[in-house]
Amino acid sequence: MTQMTAPHAPITAEAFADEIRNYLLTEQGVTPQEATVKDVYVATAKATRNHLVPAWAKTRADMVKGNTKAVGYLSAEFLLGRQLRNSLLDAGLSEQFSKAMAELGFDANEVVFSEPEPGLGNGGLGRLAACFVDSLASLGVPAFGYGIQYQYGIFRQEFDDQGRQYERADYWLTNENPWGHTDYNRDVRVNFGGSVQEKDGKRVWVPDWSVRAIPVDYLVPGYESGRVNTLRLWTAKAYHEIDLRTFNRGDYYGAVHNQIQAEDITKILYPEDSTPQGKELRLQQQYFFVSASLHDAIRTFYPGQEKPDLTTFPTKITFQLNDTHPVIGIPELMRILMDEYGYDWDTAWDVTTRTFNYTCHTLLPEALEVWPADLIGKLLPRHLEIIRKINENFVKLLSSLTDDQAKIDRMRIVTEGDNQQVRMAYLATAGGSHVNGVAELHSQLLKDVTLRDFNDLFPAKFTNVTNGVTPRRFVRIANPRLSDLITEGLGTDSWVSDLSKLEGLVPLADDDEFVHRFAEVKRANKRDFAAFAKERYGFEVNPNTMFDSMIKRLHEYKRQSLKILAVISRYASLKSGQTKLEDFTPRTVIFGAKAAPGYALAKETIQLINNVSRVINNDPEVEGKLNVLFPWNYNIELAQNLIPATELDEQISQAGKEASGTGNMKFALNGALTVGTLDGANVEIRDRVGHENFFLFGMTVDEVEDLYAKGYDKGMSRQYYESDPRLKQAIDMVADGTFSNGDKSTYQNLVNDWLNKDYFMTLADFRAYVGIQAEIEKTYADEKTWFRKALLNTARSGYFSSDRSIADYLERVWLTGPLPEDEKLKSRED
Ligand SMILES: *Cc1c(COP(=O)(O)O)cnc(C)c1O
């Protein structure tokens, strides 16, 4: 039988060291003695990649030749994190790497850290896409991830001496990028602008300018599946580097203008905002990567065929739309089928609707992406025609299903009247087979609220797939000590590819010795984090305190302000002697969060956290008791270092606002207890780990709705401020300049918002939050109880593997599965 699995320990450490030496010499032109850490990183990356390439080629060949429908995951963001450790793990070279580094005289961690982190996403949505491609490959499912290689990813966050965030460009491609293979020979032309003309009774798009889309391929190895898929990220190039005629007229700038315009398309990742931005460049990005990807898929599955039978397209590949960003793919596939391949409307529509599925990531109706019809018309005139026709047909269909004219009007894909808008979520729902939310609660709210009319008429389209995270990166690699203990406890390491096996740890929660060792792992991880925080940020961290973390994008709905107000209240009560120092559980409170550059209240919150940290950390009266850290530039690296060391995880969003969350899953798997609201996937985490092992507080979705109905955001929050002395004291301290050297204006917007609007009900949930914190301290005081609960969190969180999410998509949405093993594939071909 041919070897299809990248074998474990394919070569010895000595041989691997030789390969690295060879790359150093032949590609970097240096000897190991001359080599820098960065040289060694690049050479190691190339040597590792080389071990994966045969399985990559074979996976592609099997996919094209075989009969297994592939998955195309279309996403504007892939927040990959560093690649080296993950690739080593999947190539079966982790141990050889450690030894080879020792042999070459380099520190393995330094080599790993010298890789720039590709930050091609804002947060959860982009990280989800990265976890999903990892799981697809690990399950052996033939798949493409399709997206954009931004030249600048998510900005680098730094803080100034006032504690304010400022943004620096993330120029992650300054050095050689050994993972991305730029394939100039598989470029695709993407057109824009112009007009639609009538030719021989047919509508023909005559575009005005085009851009060259060039694929940069990243290998996506599976863990022990022997499969390596492709993540194809597109980069934009001009067709003509400079316009010689313009150049010769002496207009140097004008001569390169086209090039600049074309290459701007993939220049920068848009920072996430609470409302989607109507930026023309963003629409260009969306169309650019989707059009290139659809053409690429046709070329891949019908190689060399001039007149392919595209009615079979939905049996070759199914596309998942990760939020609305790639939804322009629906009219684009219609256009390709009709205008490029001559199919009639009905055939094209049948193929298209069987090809796409849509994942919705939001709940707020106002956060659903819309584009002005005028803008689409200017950039993509033929697509606007197609969208209008889709809308017209859809309204006809609705009229045949219901007499409720108001409902039909609400459901229009293109709004009527002046300033017509195209509603991308509606286009996706009408033009695809399935729509899913990302946690049980979220999917229910989608059906009941956000897309209610659609659910009324097309209930079969709606389903749920609860998010997950990859256990390879977020347990096996991030937490080697815990991984070893789990493997020992279970007597096998098969949990890495089947996380439901963690259940087998449940009986060990009654084994005091095992619980003790679980606690020792956490303590060692805390010491590691303290060392990392010292080295990377210059922080003094006392590992003999409770590590309490809140890391996620800064958003009002996530309510970092609830946590910082509770910290201030804590501090005040220590200072006033209300809380005796000896009764106090020493804590290190850790925040990590970036704010969208234009989001003023979020930025003010960051400034407040930094200055609370400064005041508390410099107050000798609370030294060793309370410490607040805000490591800047929260990214995957920080997540991988902090999560294994965290004991208390904060998931305190306003109920009904967090679609799922995936940070919550990473923490539970790594043995942190969660303090959280009944929101997103918290609900399912709590049900699985056991209600007694989760610190629940705060209002429910229904209670939130009731409070809005009473007019909460029209001034009611002030009543909470007036009636809770602790809350009043904390807010007063923010207002009176305690955290701004006496300046009362610094946090004016934040204070005003709390007292007059507080849309996300921070004040209303404050009392419950402070109450649960007291309970947390009581539990923490008894180490055995705490770590027993922590162990049960790990043991019962196997469900939150992204492997399980992918299995759910395969069953409920994509209706496909893994590539068969070699032998079966051969017999089918015979
Ligand atoms: C997991 C992750 C997120 C998502 O966190 P949530 O708490 O679910 O919002 C965001 N950013 C990074 C770097 C992550 O690893």
Side-chain angles (χ1 to χ4, degrees), residues 32-231:
Q33 290 70 41
E34 293 168 304
T36 63
V37 174
K38 284 182 182 169
D39 288 325
V40 174
Y41 151 65
V42 172
T44 308
K46 286 180 176 168
T48 308
R49 191 179 185 278
N50 206 29
H51 282 271
L52 296 166
V53 164
W56 183 42
K58 179 147 192 352
T59 302
R60 246 179 307 138
D62 290 353
M63 173 177 76
V64 174
K65 277 190 294 175
N67 298 311
T68 308
K69 178 164 63 171
V71 174
Y73 200 81
L74 288 167
S75 178
E77 302 186 10
F78 285 90
L79 189 53
L80 295 173
R82 291 192 179 114
Q83 295 299 293
L84 183 54
R85 285 242 185 250
N86 193 63
S87 299
L88 286 164
L89 176 70
D90 293 341
L93 290 166
S94 298
E95 279 169 26
Q96 292 89 324
F97 169 65
S98 307
K99 289 186 190 146
M101 289 304 107
E103 188 182 323
L104 295 168
F106 285 85
D107 180 295
N109 272 328
E110 262 184 56
V111 171
V112 167
F113 281 175
S114 74
E115 175 176 354
E117 177 170 320
L120 308 182
N122 278 285
L125 175 145
R127 184 54 235 178
L128 185 76
C131 284
F132 280 4
V133 291
D134 177 272
S135 285
L136 279 160
S138 295
L139 292 175
V141 179
F144 278 103
Y146 279 119
I148 297 173
Q149 175 166 284
Y150 302 100
Q151 209 173 327
Y152 298 90
I154 180 78
F155 63 86
R156 278 189 51 83
Q157 177 192 54
E158 294 188 15
F159 299 139
D160 69 11
D161 57 2
Q162 311 278 307
R164 288 176 300 214
Q165 166 180 303
Y166 65 95
E167 299 90 26
R168 296 177 64 118
D170 163 52
Y171 199 22
W172 69 288
L173 286 172
T174 32
N175 290 339
E176 192 172 355
N177 169 19
W179 304 111
H181 169 66
T182 307
D183 191 346
Y184 291 96
N185 300 323
R186 277 160 195 78
D187 57 343
V188 177
R189 179 182 288 270
V190 179
N191 298 315
F192 291 97
S195 59
V196 182
Q197 293 167 12
E198 193 86 24
K199 265 192 201 139
D200 309 327
K202 282 188 125 184
R203 306 290 293 166
V204 180
W205 181 19
V206 185
D208 188 53
W209 55 285
S210 11
V211 177
R212 191 175 165 214
I214 296 170
V216 186
D217 288 343
Y218 291 77
L219 271 56
V220 184
Y223 175 79
E224 291 192 336
S225 68
R227 294 300 185 182
V228 179
N229 284 330
T230 308
L231 172 60

Side-chain angles (χ1 to χ4, degrees), residues 572-707:
S573 117
L574 275 174
K575 293 285 282 180
S576 69
Q578 255 170 302
T579 303
K580 301 250 175 331
L581 274 178
E582 55 274 18
D583 296 341
F584 188 79
T585 307
R587 269 199 214 216
T588 298
V589 173
I590 304 155
F591 288 90
K594 291 180 185 178
Y599 190 173
L601 269 186
K603 289 183 128 177
E604 219 170 279
T605 309
I606 283 180
Q607 190 178 3
L608 175 62
I609 296 170
N610 271 322
N611 285 291
V612 169
S613 160
R614 189 179 323 206
V615 169
I616 292 180
N617 298 356
N618 289 310
D619 186 339
E621 273 189 73
V622 298
E623 202 184 320
K625 295 289 175 187
L626 189 58
N627 201 9
V628 180
L629 304 178
F630 195 165
W632 51 90
N633 200 44
Y634 172 45
N635 61 2
I636 305 274
E637 175 190 64
L638 181 63
Q640 287 184 207
N641 281 285
L642 180 56
I643 291 170
T646 294
E647 293 164 302
L648 181 66
D649 159 40
E650 307 261 350
Q651 302 294 341
I652 60 178
S653 53
Q654 186 197 31
K657 295 298 187 293
E658 187 74 87
S660 165
T662 49
N664 46 8
M665 302 168 182
K666 301 169 196 164
F667 280 107
L669 281 166
N670 282 282
L673 297 190
T674 303
V675 52
T677 48
L678 274 184
D679 200 15
N682 291 357
V683 179
E684 289 156 81
I685 292 175
R686 176 170 169 263
D687 284 346
R688 287 188 181 263
V689 304
H691 292 192
E692 67 287 3
N693 303 314
F694 185 107
F695 297 105
L696 180 71
F697 80 100
M699 285 182 285
T700 61
V701 171
D702 289 343
E703 287 163 352
V704 164
E705 284 314 312
D706 287 349
L707 203 50

